[in-house]
Amino acid sequence: MKEQLRLLPAVHMIQADPRFKMAAEESDFTESGLTVIVQDILNDLRERILNGEYVGCETKEKMIDLIFQKIGDHITTNGSFELKPVINATGVVIHTNLGRSRLSEDALKQMNRVARHYSNLEYNLSEGKRGSRHDLVDGLLQDITGAEAAMVVNNNAAAVFLVLRALAKDRSVVVSRGELVEIGGSFRVSSIMEESGAHLTEVGTTNKTHLHDYDAAIDEWTAMLMKVHTSNFKVVGFTDSVQTEKLVELASRYENLLTYEDLGSGALYDFEKEGIGDEPLVSKVIATGVDLITFSGDKLLGGPQCGVIAGKKALIDKLKKHQLARVLRVDKFTLAALEATLVAYKYGQIDEIPTVRDILRSAEDIKIQAERFISKASKLTNLSMDLLESTSRIGGGTMPEVELPTYVVSVRPERLTSEELFNALRSAEIPVIGRIKEEQVILDLRTVTQEEEDEIIRTLESISV
Ligand SMILES: *Cc1c(COP(=O)(O)O)cnc(C)c1O
């Protein structure tokens, strides 16, 4: 019995084991939460040994293994939140069903600091009086986009709604028929317009709309000319649409006629320069002189869910004062994460933004990772793996025609069907989401970090394939 008691490790020995840190990172428990669990496990073992029970370990290593097994069991039975991390092995970078963008380390740190402490969310520190949350990222957005002013609301749908409601209610908004899009099954330009109380005036046809179509539709009820970026589809063939510059020029011939463009994705980085798609750069659109633009925070920008409205100061000021701005306002965590993400843009540290980094990853880089993955997995029996050339999509209704060259790992189980393996991966403690193609499970590591890569191996190991 004494022998067995001596084999019980001290808590700090468990804490120093790399498996402890890993368990904290990968479970819903913090390190201090896990320490409490470790203490419970040690107390329980001590009690059992004192009761004369043999716990089945002859060496200290075995005892430590047993403790980690018990920690694992505890996590499995007690630590499951409804909303939890998953590993995105689809290669779709902005996967709306999987939470769109991952945040940068700096954004996470900023959110954490703002959550842990009180903050100057609505307190002007230089004047010692009430401030506005709308002003916190206004300056950064001005620097990056070149706009006179900017504000942030709950998401881009909210941004569109606020612009239409506050500036075009009971008046008409002219939109090209080629731009009356539906995005993600729930955002429809025509429906949001109706909800906002603005009246839609459709002009042109699905494939062609000319400047004179807009001109002919303008009357005393017209509040604005609106352009919508057709994010998630492309009309090919004989098409024609009117450039933002032309609309701005047309609107300037009338009094109090606004121009507004809903950009959707909102690229702050010039992907086109890298040969990826033709997404308009936000700063270039602002430079056309357009009165207002809106775009998402968690699509190409790679920040938290939010919607940015940028443009002329007088209009932004009006929007900030609107009652709806209060209804649609963002919380401090969103502002913290957005600010940190924008700072990375300002200083050109775009590699720190996971969404941008993953879109820019070269096929060569992914190939190296995939080869490493396959060699690590070679110890697994009953599975065969191959490296295949393929393409990844950007997702989030962004640049639908773009295919990013990649290498994928095709996994073929010997005992299970590919469907069974796919389901087992999805049901793992940290679910792994891949796709099935022709009796293989396909894993695209474009969106998988090195730590996640090891987790996938562990998961494959634990599924008896
Ligand atoms: C994605 C998108 C929206 C909706 O943005 P959310 O941030 O998802 O609310 C609106 N308009 C366009 C053109 C889009 O691409």
Side-chain angles (χ1 to χ4, degrees):
M1 182 171 88
K2 267 214 176 110
E3 187 59 26
Q4 286 272 294
L5 274 183
R6 267 202 288 121
L7 295 179
L8 279 181
V11 174
H12 68 83
M13 280 183 72
I14 298 291
Q15 285 171 321
D17 192 296
R19 285 174 285 181
F20 181 81
K21 252 200 157 53
M22 222 147 66
E25 271 165 22
E26 286 159 11
S27 71
D28 302 323
F29 291 94
T30 59
E31 288 194 22
S32 48
L34 277 185
T35 304
V36 175
I37 293 163
V38 171
Q39 279 159 343
D40 284 349
I41 293 171
L42 287 172
N43 288 341
D44 180 55
L45 285 171
R46 186 172 297 112
E47 211 165 295
R48 282 168 56 192
I49 294 168
L50 287 171
N51 281 336
E53 207 179 308
Y54 175 65
V55 296
C57 301
E58 278 115 63
T59 62
K60 199 154 211 152
E61 284 70 48
K62 283 242 168 73
M63 190 65 94
I64 292 177
D65 286 348
L66 174 72
I67 289 163
F68 275 105
Q69 192 194 322
K70 285 179 176 293
I71 293 174
D73 291 347
H74 189 95
I75 288 171
T76 316
T77 44
N78 298 300
S80 204
F81 284 111
E82 286 298 320
L83 180 63
K84 56 186 163 194
V86 306
I87 295 174
N88 172 11
T90 65
V92 179
V93 181
I94 309 172
H95 200 306
T96 298
N97 299 152
L98 304 183
R100 283 201 186 155
S101 287
R102 279 188 287 191
L103 296 177
S104 69
E105 286 302 318
D106 281 347
L108 297 177
K109 245 187 253 166
Q110 246 333 79
M111 280 172 86
N112 200 305
R113 292 175 69 207
V114 165
R116 191 176 296 275
H117 305 281
Y118 290 101
S119 61
N120 60 332
L121 182 65
E122 292 194 346
Y123 186 76
N124 184 326
L125 289 171
S126 55
E127 292 171 26
K129 58 177 197 198
R130 197 197 155 102
S132 165
R133 70 179 70 207
H134 290 306
D135 296 336
L136 292 169
V137 290
D138 192 341
L140 265 172
L141 282 166
Q142 287 172 35
D143 286 352
I144 295 166
T145 66
E148 285 176 15
M151 68 183 287
V152 183
V153 290
N154 182 58
N155 55 15
N156 189 40
V160 176
F161 184 68
L162 175 58
V163 168
L164 294 174
R165 178 84 181 187
L167 304 171
K169 183 170 171 271
D170 298 326
R171 299 185 57 198
S172 126
V173 176
V174 184
V175 186
S176 159
R177 288 200 172 87
E179 298 174 2
L180 288 171
V181 294
E182 174 177 300
I183 287 148
S186 58
F187 179 86
R188 223 179 234 195
V189 174
S190 50
S191 310
I192 213 134
M193 182 95 65
E194 199 176 317
E195 283 298 327
S196 76
H199 296 277
L200 172 64
T201 303
E202 302 176 22
V203 294
T205 61
T206 311
N207 60 332
K208 289 196 177 196
T209 303
H210 305 282
L211 193 63
H212 58 77
D213 293 322
Y214 286 92
D215 203 7
I218 298 168
D219 60 24
E220 73 269 30
W221 292 109
T222 313
M224 64 174 68
L225 309 179
M226 177 182 183
K227 249 185 103 61
V228 183
H229 187 57
T230 54
S231 305
N232 61 352
F233 79 105
K234 262 237 139 48
V235 182
V236 292
F238 291 98
T239 65
D240 217 339
S241 62
V242 178
Q243 307 270 311
T244 313
E245 291 88 335
K246 296 263 171 58
L247 284 190
V248 171
E249 200 272 317
L250 173 63
S252 71
R253 289 189 235 146
Y254 294 84
E255 220 166 305
N256 296 324
L257 181 58
L258 300 176
T259 49
Y260 160 46
E261 181 159 359
D262 174 24
L263 283 174
S265 306
L268 297 186
Y269 178 79
D270 194 352
F271 291 98
E272 192 176 4
K273 191 184 72 189
E274 310 285 342
I276 300 171
D278 55 0
E279 196 67 22
L281 199 58
V282 168
S283 56
K284 284 200 182 142
V285 182
I286 285 290
T288 62
V290 68
D291 290 309
L292 287 174
I293 58 164
T294 54
F295 55 93
S296 281
D298 55 353
K299 288 187 183 170
L300 282 179
L301 194 154
Q305 178 196 302
C306 62
V308 176
I309 312 174
K312 299 282 157 63
K313 186 169 185 324
L315 295 171
I316 298 284
D317 284 346
K318 197 166 168 185
L319 294 177
K320 283 180 180 172
K321 287 197 202 97
H322 197 278
Q323 195 59 39
L324 262 183
R326 168 62 200 258
V327 177
L328 304 173
R329 79 181 184 185
V330 290
D331 72 351
K332 56 191 176 181
F333 309 122
T334 303
L335 287 165
L338 181 64
E339 183 177 13
T341 310
L342 293 174
V343 165
Y345 277 104
K346 183 168 172 177
Y347 296 107
Q349 297 157 337
I350 45 113
D351 267 358
E352 321 232 322
I353 303 166
T355 298
V356 181
R357 180 195 65 208
D358 290 348
I359 292 172
L360 295 178
R361 278 189 79 182
S362 68
E364 258 334 283
D365 182 40
I366 298 164
K367 187 180 182 188
I368 292 168
Q369 186 185 9
E371 283 170 342
R372 184 178 62 206
F373 180 86
I374 291 174
S375 98
K376 278 190 210 162
S378 61
K379 62 180 175 188
L380 305 176
T381 49
N382 300 323
L383 275 183
S384 52
M385 292 198 188
D386 283 305
L387 186 70
L388 301 178
E389 255 182 279
S390 185
T391 53
S392 344
R393 299 222 167 254
I394 293 175
T398 299
M399 301 196 252
E401 78 289 6
V402 171
E403 297 190 330
L404 303 167
T406 191
Y407 284 86
V408 296
V409 178
S410 114
V411 187
R412 269 165 295 119
E414 276 167 26
R415 297 223 192 100
L416 304 177
T417 64
S418 55
E419 184 109 7
E420 283 167 337
L421 175 62
F422 176 81
N423 291 341
L425 285 169
R426 200 191 56 224
S427 320
E429 203 191 313
I430 299 179
V432 179
I433 314 295
R435 59 195 153 92
I436 296 185
K437 196 183 158 201
E438 296 156 8
E439 279 306 300
Q440 308 155 56
V441 173
I442 302 287
L443 305 174
D444 184 345
L445 303 183
R446 175 182 294 279
T447 42
V448 173
T449 62
Q450 197 166 334
E451 297 85 62
E452 289 174 333
E453 181 188 312
D454 292 336
E455 180 61 29
I456 299 177
I457 306 262
R458 275 194 292 276
T459 302
L460 285 172
E461 220 167 352
S462 70
I463 300 168
S464 58
V465 280

